[in-house]
């Protein structure tokens, strides 16, 4: 079996069939941020380590790292006009996570949102939260989503 990589750049297409350069001038990018891996479920298919503790120091370092990555992308690809920033963990909204962590989530999101709006006002920034939906404290979650202006919830 051959282990040679196949590149679309070198493929010969039938005459009249144009080659499409999908990423030549990208207008969209996505950044995925894992805050932690602790989860309230233990799904057989999941790759995450479910017993990890919440690390506030790591969470506090995320805005700087995220901004560094996005600045690089926006500088190298000035055609990018929209970015989705997906925030997930294990389960961000688990009932056994204290409200103080919700304050930290908000700080991470607002720091990134405010800095990008100053430096790259032409780029639309949307935040997406990924959740398994298994939690009882719905008011806390709804308040968090509404207060922090999430566009999408997965």
């Amino acid at each position: 079996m051959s282990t040679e990589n196949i590149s679309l750049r070198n493929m010969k297409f039938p005459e009249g069939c144009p080659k499409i350069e999908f990423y030549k001038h990208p207008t969209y990018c996505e950044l995925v941020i894992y805050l932690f891996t602790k989860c309230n479920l233990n799904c057989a298919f999941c790759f995450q380590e479910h017993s990890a503790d919440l690390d506030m120091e790591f969470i506090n370092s995320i805005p700087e790292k995220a901004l560094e990555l996005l600045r690089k992308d926006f500088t190298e690809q000035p055609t990018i006009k929209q970015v989705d920033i997906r925030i997930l963990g294990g389960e961000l909204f688990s009932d056994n996570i204290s409200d103080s962590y919700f304050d930290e989530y908000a700080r991470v999101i607002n720091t990134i949102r405010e800095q990008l709006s100053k430096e790259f006002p032409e780029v639309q920034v949307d935040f997406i939260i990924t959740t398994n939906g298994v939690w009882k404290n719905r008011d806390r979650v709804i308040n968090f989503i509404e207060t922090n202006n999430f566009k999408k919830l997965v």
Side-chain angles (χ1 to χ4, degrees), residues 86-87 91 93 128-133 151-154:
R86 182 179 302 272
I87 309 283
E91 175 50 49
F93 301 134
I128 302 168
I129 285 280
T130 300
T131 176
N132 61 28
K151 299 293 184 198
K152 302 169 190 162
L153 180 68
V154 180

Side-chain angles (χ1 to χ4, degrees), residues 95-151:
D95 292 323
N96 64 359
I97 293 176
S98 75
D99 289 347
S100 65
Y101 277 91
F102 279 60
D103 295 339
E104 284 306 307
Y105 303 164
R107 190 194 60 75
V108 166
I109 292 159
N110 291 325
T111 299
I112 295 169
R113 180 180 280 137
E114 289 169 13
Q115 197 60 40
L116 287 179
S117 124
K118 287 178 190 172
E119 293 181 39
F120 303 96
E122 71 283 1
V123 176
Q124 177 185 331
V125 179
D126 290 325
F127 284 84
I128 302 168
I129 285 280
T130 300
T131 176
N132 61 28
V134 179
W135 22 262
K136 294 177 185 172
N137 197 341
R138 300 212 182 280
D139 291 340
R140 172 173 86 157
V141 174
I142 290 167
N143 181 53
F144 178 81
I145 291 167
E146 289 175 350
T147 302
N148 292 286
N149 195 26
F150 281 92
K151 299 293 184 198

Side-chain angles (χ1 to χ4, degrees), residues 14-138:
E15 192 172 323
C17 183
K19 223 196 281 192
I20 300 172
E21 298 284 346
F22 289 104
Y23 299 106
K24 196 170 188 175
H25 302 290
T27 59
Y28 168 84
C29 75
E30 181 174 10
L31 176 65
V32 178
I33 299 173
Y34 286 87
L35 296 180
F36 51 82
T37 59
K38 186 174 184 165
C39 187
N40 55 353
L41 299 179
N42 194 12
C43 302
F45 60 83
C46 187
F47 61 89
Q48 291 188 354
E49 177 187 332
H50 293 79
S51 61
D53 289 329
L54 304 178
D55 182 348
M56 192 65 80
E57 187 176 323
F58 173 75
I59 292 172
N60 287 330
S61 73
I62 288 173
E64 183 180 326
K65 292 175 184 178
L67 289 164
E68 182 180 316
L69 289 169
L70 291 169
R71 284 182 188 113
K72 182 177 184 284
D73 284 349
F74 296 161
T75 301
E76 291 175 359
Q77 300 293 337
T79 55
I80 294 175
K81 298 299 176 207
Q82 179 183 354
V83 61
D84 282 347
I85 300 175
R86 182 179 302 272
I87 309 283
L88 50 118
E91 175 50 49
L92 298 174
F93 301 134
S94 181
D95 292 323
N96 64 359
I97 293 176
S98 75
D99 289 347
S100 65
Y101 277 91
F102 279 60
D103 295 339
E104 284 306 307
Y105 303 164
R107 190 194 60 75
V108 166
I109 292 159
N110 291 325
T111 299
I112 295 169
R113 180 180 280 137
E114 289 169 13
Q115 197 60 40
L116 287 179
S117 124
K118 287 178 190 172
E119 293 181 39
F120 303 96
E122 71 283 1
V123 176
Q124 177 185 331
V125 179
D126 290 325
F127 284 84
I128 302 168
I129 285 280
T130 300
T131 176
N132 61 28
V134 179
W135 22 262
K136 294 177 185 172
N137 197 341
R138 300 212 182 280

